[in-house]
Amino acid sequence: MTQQRLDFAQASPDVVKAMYALEAAIAKLGLEHSLLELVRLRASQINGCAFCVDMHTADARKAGETERRLYAVSVWRETPFFTARERAVLAWTEALTLLPQSQAPDDVYAALAAELTPAEMVNVSLAIGSINTWNRLAVGFRKMPE
């Protein structure tokens, strides 16, 4: 089993406080909680963040997400379980999480623009950036699920 390298929250509580403030701001941007949890789960899967996958799967369940959809997030393209809006956001999540490889392609952007308002596009991009930061802290310092 992997050993935690460092407790980043203890080492720099101000960083974690700032991240929680960002999360509070994201929660007030008007995006659906269920959509935010899909973003958090998919980015965490891509980044191999066991702690965040565990946390956001549990959070999504508590918010009413179905087991079937949770199991299918990693293969969302191959299932009929997600709306056009969710599919556009999942594709954007992948594009921004894998930015060096994807360069946020025009077709993914166009699909996002067809489903979200300009403000929602910015807001969901911030949510994607935030979970990627959490993933880098948790993976980098080997934070493990309880």
Side-chain angles (χ1 to χ4, degrees):
M1 183 168 158
T2 304
Q3 291 280 13
Q4 183 168 307
R5 292 175 171 165
L6 172 71
D7 182 338
F8 59 84
Q10 184 178 11
S12 186
D14 287 343
V15 165
V16 174
K17 184 178 176 182
M19 287 298 296
Y20 281 133
L22 177 58
E23 291 300 330
I26 290 168
K28 294 176 185 172
L29 295 175
L31 295 167
E32 310 93 285
H33 182 70
S34 60
L35 189 66
L36 289 173
E37 290 303 336
L38 291 176
V39 164
R40 292 169 179 144
L41 179 56
R42 186 64 191 123
S44 298
Q45 289 171 336
I46 292 166
N47 289 322
C49 186
F51 180 83
C52 293
V53 166
D54 182 65
M55 174 193 297
H56 294 296
T57 301
D59 288 351
R61 277 190 198 105
K62 288 177 197 166
E65 189 58 77
T66 67
E67 294 293 313
R68 191 176 199 195
R69 282 173 35 106
L70 286 174
Y71 299 146
V73 169
S74 64
V75 291
W76 62 268
R77 283 182 181 83
E78 288 78 33
T79 69
F81 308 148
F82 301 95
T83 67
R85 179 178 171 89
E86 290 167 336
R87 297 170 78 75
V89 169
L90 287 166
W92 190 242
T93 299
E94 291 178 356
L96 294 189
T97 299
L98 299 169
L99 193 57
Q101 298 94 321
S102 79
Q103 294 299 298
D106 291 339
D107 62 326
V108 175
Y109 177 83
L112 188 73
E115 295 295 329
L116 278 69
T117 67
E120 288 175 326
M121 292 168 60
V122 173
N123 298 347
V124 81
S125 298
L126 181 65
I128 294 164
S130 177
I131 189 57
N132 273 281
T133 297
W134 282 116
N135 290 163
R136 278 147 182 77
L137 289 168
V139 172
F141 296 113
R142 305 293 193 254
K143 185 168 181 67
M144 293 291 115
E146 299 287 323

